[in-house]
Amino acid sequence: NTSPYGIIFLNCGIDESWLLNNAGVATNLQGFVSGGGSLYASDWSYGFVETSFPNEIDFYGDDTQYGSPFAGLQQSTTGIVLDPGWQNLVGSTAALTYDLGGWSTIVSTQAEILVEGSFTYAIDPTNIFSPTATDTAPLAVRFDTGAGTVLFTTFHNEQQVTVDMAI
């Protein structure tokens, strides 16, 4: 990696307007990761991963409509830890708290699934009276591209973080 930085961290709530207005951002992220850097994105920063690596994670809803995956409801759930390294840190399950509704949900992925679990989501996230459904899907994933790695978590890293989420 020729960058002075080893990792870029994009937390939930980052202003994505500059991504939508600057096509070079996706190219720069692709170059950074393929050159050996790591990218960690969480929850609402999903757009950076979707735009830069569109074939790796299928987020809920219409890929061309920003915010479409914001379907997860406020809840606590138990994630099943599938990654052996993460299992060494937290065990075979992880307590996850989503303190706000509208978190980014994943439908499927080509990436390695680190944690998966059951959760409730709004079928139409644009309608506050939307019917809900329950699904089991990836909650944290990782994939390599070039010499680097991308990690995406549906949970974000703020005050609701459980001990399992912080590790």
Side-chain angles (χ1 to χ4, degrees), residues 19 27 56 61 67 69 72 76 79 103 106 115 127 131 136 153 158 165:
L19 174 65
T27 301
E56 297 294 335
S76 292
W103 50 275
I106 297 173
V115 179
N127 177 355
T136 298
T153 61
E158 294 182 33
M165 294 164 78

Side-chain angles (χ1 to χ4, degrees), residues 35-129:
S38 294
L39 173 65
Y40 173 38
S42 66
D43 195 10
W44 279 22
S45 66
Y46 86 95
F48 291 92
V49 176
E50 177 68 31
T51 302
S52 303
F53 309 97
N55 297 321
E56 297 294 335
I57 302 172
D58 183 19
F59 292 95
Y60 183 80
D62 182 350
D63 290 348
T64 64
Q65 192 171 29
Y66 174 74
S68 193
F70 299 165
L73 300 179
Q74 180 179 359
Q75 62 198 283
S76 292
T77 190
T78 300
I80 306 302
V81 180
L82 302 175
D83 179 70
W86 283 28
Q87 285 178 349
N88 287 336
L89 294 171
V90 299
S92 61
T93 61
L96 303 174
T97 299
Y98 296 89
D99 67 332
L100 300 171
W103 50 275
S104 298
T105 54
I106 297 173
V107 174
S108 64
T109 186
Q110 298 297 314
E112 175 188 4
I113 300 171
L114 304 173
V115 179
E116 72 177 4
S118 294
F119 58 91
T120 304
Y121 66 97
I123 294 172
D124 178 3
T126 64
N127 177 355
I128 63 169
F129 301 109

